[in-house]
Amino acid sequence: AQKVTQAQTEISVVEKEDVTLDCVYETRDTTYYLFWYKQPPSGELVFLIRRNSFDEQNEISGRYSWNFQKSTSSFNFTITASQVVDSAVYFCALPIIQGAQKLVFGQGTRLTINP
Amino acid sequence: DTAVSQTPKYLVTQMGNDKSIKCEQNLGHDTMYWYKQDSKKFLKIMFSYNNKELIINETVPNRFSPKSPDKAHLNLHINSLELGDSAVYFCASRQGVAGLNNEQFFGPGTRLTVL
């Protein structure tokens, strides 16, 4: 099966706390990528990061970091020192090929950062 | 400046009507998509086109008919609208057809409400 599971439906934290969003994937492919997208309250989908299956190094971009672990089929996303502007729905996605690339999305995690 | 644009942003209509949503991308991308986001925020692919040719057609009622007049445009026409069609519809595009690495760029979404 080609599937992405984001078990946390909603998370609510107070500003400046660190928060981790979980993503667990299933794929039959030996080579694959994973993406994260952000959907702020305004509704658009914003690409955050891609990770390929050959690179297990953690990725850090400012307050954002991603932990990719093939052994547990997880690609978790951590926001350090969260801010109110981080409030959004976050999606983990697995691109697969079915004639063309298509994205298999997780259910999304709604993150609310309270002041 | 807009990379992927959709019109209209909001669409409210009566059951049984026919409506269209337009999408244009100015990124020179090869592949365009329609995704549907339901009320629980779940995102699912509907169609994919490459240079006016249909590549992916998920299990979508044939009341939904995509039309691609050229590589930069992918419109979605919906006949005999039903209450269950109420959702946010996203257009997306990406460089290349197959291949896992290039991310998809999404439009701002069209919120369709069927009364």
Side-chain angles (χ1 to χ4, degrees), chain A residues 36-53:
Chain A
W36 275 93
Y37 282 86
K38 174 182 180 179
Q39 187 174 37
S42 48
E44 71 275 23
L45 282 157
V46 179
F47 173 76
L48 293 177
I49 193 172
R50 81 170 63 81
R51 170 64 55 176
N52 72 54
S53 53

Side-chain angles (χ1 to χ4, degrees), chain A residues 97-102, chain B residues 25 28-34 45-57 66-75 91-99 102 104:
Chain A
I97 302 301
Q98 186 178 305
Q101 185 207 74
K102 76 176 202 182
Chain B
Q25 55 98 1
H29 284 169
D30 302 303
T31 308
M32 295 185 73
Y33 302 82
W34 280 108
I45 190 169
M46 300 173 70
F47 302 103
S48 171
Y49 266 76
N50 168 247
N51 198 15
K52 302 191 293 180
E53 182 185 345
L54 180 66
I55 305 291
I56 296 175
N57 184 347
K67 286 184 173 53
S68 181
D70 57 55
K71 183 176 148 174
H73 296 85
L74 180 62
N75 304 323
C91 179
S93 72
R94 72 180 286 268
Q95 185 60 38
V97 181
N102 291 341
Q104 295 182 20

Side-chain angles (χ1 to χ4, degrees), chain A residues 25-111:
Chain A
Y25 61 92
E26 292 176 38
T27 180
R28 55 177 172 265
D29 297 328
T30 53
T31 301
Y32 53 90
Y33 281 75
L34 292 156
F35 298 162
W36 275 93
Y37 282 86
K38 174 182 180 179
Q39 187 174 37
S42 48
E44 71 275 23
L45 282 157
V46 179
F47 173 76
L48 293 177
I49 193 172
R50 81 170 63 81
R51 170 64 55 176
N52 72 54
S53 53
F54 288 101
D55 186 356
E56 289 199 63
Q57 281 193 337
N58 288 342
E59 179 92 16
I60 298 175
S61 175
R63 296 182 297 105
Y64 294 175
S65 63
W66 288 268
N67 183 329
F68 176 47
Q69 298 217 345
K70 286 177 78 169
S71 59
T72 55
S73 297
S74 64
F75 185 39
N76 297 337
F77 173 29
T78 297
I79 302 175
T80 303
S82 59
Q83 299 177 1
V84 172
V85 293
D86 296 325
S87 296
V89 181
Y90 290 87
F91 292 94
C92 183
L94 173 71
I96 65 173
I97 302 301
Q98 186 178 305
Q101 185 207 74
K102 76 176 202 182
L103 293 176
V104 176
F105 283 93
Q107 305 91 319
T109 297
R110 181 183 296 277
L111 176 64

